[in-house]
Amino acid sequence: MGIEPAAARTDAANVPPHRARVVLVVLALFIVINAADKAVLGLTADPIKDDLGLSATEFGTIASSFYLLFSVSAVLVGLLGDRIRARPLLAALALVWAAAQLPILLPAAGFGALVATRVVLGAGEGPGYPLANHTAFTWFPERERALPSAVVMAGAAGGTVVAAPLVILVSNTLGWRAAFGLLGAVGVVWALVWLRVGGSGPYTGSLDVAGPAPAENTAEDTAAETGSDAVAGTGRAPGRATDVGLWRIVTTGTWLGATFSAFAVMWTLALGFAWLPLFLEEQAGFSDAAIGGIIGLPALSMAVLVLTAGAVAQRLLRRGATARLAQGLVGALLPLAAGLCLLLTTRVTAAALLLPLVVIAFSAGNGQTPLTQAAIADVCPPARSSAALGLSYAAAALSSLLAPYVTGRIIDAAPHEAAGYAHAFDVAACLLIAGAVVSALLIRPDRDAAALRRAAASPLSPPRRSEC
């Protein structure tokens, strides 16, 4: 694990203590809107299908189109996140979201318009979560990042909790198009608030934190600070691999295990956003009013789980536990539980059994996400953090492109809808269980950080087998 630069520690002392909390709350609201934008299509699925006469495959195509440029945008903007200040970058993303939602208010907007605007929305939202995490990390020292990451992740839960009843209410009273317009307006308001109070924190070389920001430590400064602990002959501190290439980071077991598990979790998340409301209505027989409350339950559970997992991991780390235990093994229990519950979801009929299974199946896996994000950030040098997080999120988000469309094809190809939902949910469950096993085996931040430090000490030497 790294040693915080002296300049960062000095600058942190000059920032009011409440500033980090204010920025963290605004970033969580950013993810609230992000989640609501994703959820609105699934929450209005029934009137959209009836109004436009869509098949399951066509609706799945609209849902999948959101993720067409999602990964590409996450990579490209993630690379920019290390070079462009957080204040204008995140505000621009929020304005893109608003611009994509508002055209749906037009009565002529049909299947083609929904596909086009969801593509644009996905391009704007792809970098949202990793950049919000990256910005939050700049306000907290390294070993205190699990809980802030959990707070950001909890914003996704808040988005669904707030959006579900509100979107259904607006849709039932003003029409499904009005729900899209409402979220567009909210995006504009958030951008204005962020431009007023947002920015990067003292644990970064960014220049948009209030007051003078620290310059990046030079090799000579680091060597002077750490003395004999600096890597011999390099002037670099042993806590960070300052010159390590991005390729070395993305071939570590931590990055690979975290990314594969996130792939499985995001498959289930996309499945839930697009198809869970329809499943609850068409297969479980719940009314619109009941669905508005039920959809919020996994989100509430996710908020509790991500905050609890983040707090547990942070406590373990403070007590001297290895990062493998705190972030890898503890985190893997969550998608494992989600996968087992998802296997049972289509095999029970009683509401008293179905609801708890749905809640755990569509929430527990997300509790692992802040731990894996923190694990990747702990392995990376600060200058590579945004790019590494963006690449991981982009690779994992490919599952979101596939899940809604594949589910629609499975449902249309099945002899009846109940069988189609059962097959689709089983695919997601198996992915979650596989992701849990892989992450438990591969996520070892301490080992991988040490390997990257060795690589930085000998930048011209080929990577050792143990580094990958």
Side-chain angles (χ1 to χ4, degrees), residues 64-88:
S64 287
S65 66
F66 175 87
Y67 300 98
L68 184 62
L69 298 179
F70 193 89
S71 295
V72 174
S73 177
V75 172
L76 295 179
V77 181
L79 293 171
L80 293 176
D82 291 322
R83 296 169 176 82
I84 297 179
R85 296 181 302 168
R87 181 180 286 122

Side-chain angles (χ1 to χ4, degrees), residues 157 161 296-308 356 359-364 367:
V161 170
L297 294 178
L300 287 172
S301 174
M302 181 173 69
V304 172
L305 287 171
V306 296
L307 291 172
T308 302
V359 169
I360 298 173
F362 288 94
S363 66

Side-chain angles (χ1 to χ4, degrees), residues 18-169:
H18 71 277
R19 180 76 194 281
R21 295 192 292 269
V22 170
V23 173
L24 187 60
V25 168
V26 177
L27 289 171
L29 291 175
F30 180 73
I31 302 302
V32 166
I33 301 170
N34 182 293
D37 284 341
K38 292 187 183 80
V40 65
L41 184 70
L43 292 169
T44 56
D46 198 44
I48 289 175
K49 287 180 66 181
D50 291 344
D51 190 17
L52 303 181
L54 303 176
S55 68
T57 299
E58 288 171 329
F59 177 76
T61 300
I62 295 173
S64 287
S65 66
F66 175 87
Y67 300 98
L68 184 62
L69 298 179
F70 193 89
S71 295
V72 174
S73 177
V75 172
L76 295 179
V77 181
L79 293 171
L80 293 176
D82 291 322
R83 296 169 176 82
I84 297 179
R85 296 181 302 168
R87 181 180 286 122
L89 190 56
L90 291 179
L93 291 180
L95 292 176
V96 169
W97 304 353
Q101 297 284 47
L102 293 175
I104 305 302
L105 289 169
L106 299 174
F111 174 81
L114 278 169
V115 170
T117 55
R118 295 304 281 183
V119 169
V120 173
L121 181 65
E125 294 205 350
Y129 178 66
L131 279 178
N133 245 341
H134 172 67
T135 305
F137 290 158
T138 68
W139 287 93
F140 298 90
E142 180 180 324
R143 295 187 75 86
E144 296 181 11
R145 289 172 177 170
L147 188 57
S149 181
V151 172
V152 173
M153 185 65 188
T160 306
V161 170
V162 173
L166 183 59
V167 165
I168 290 175
L169 176 63

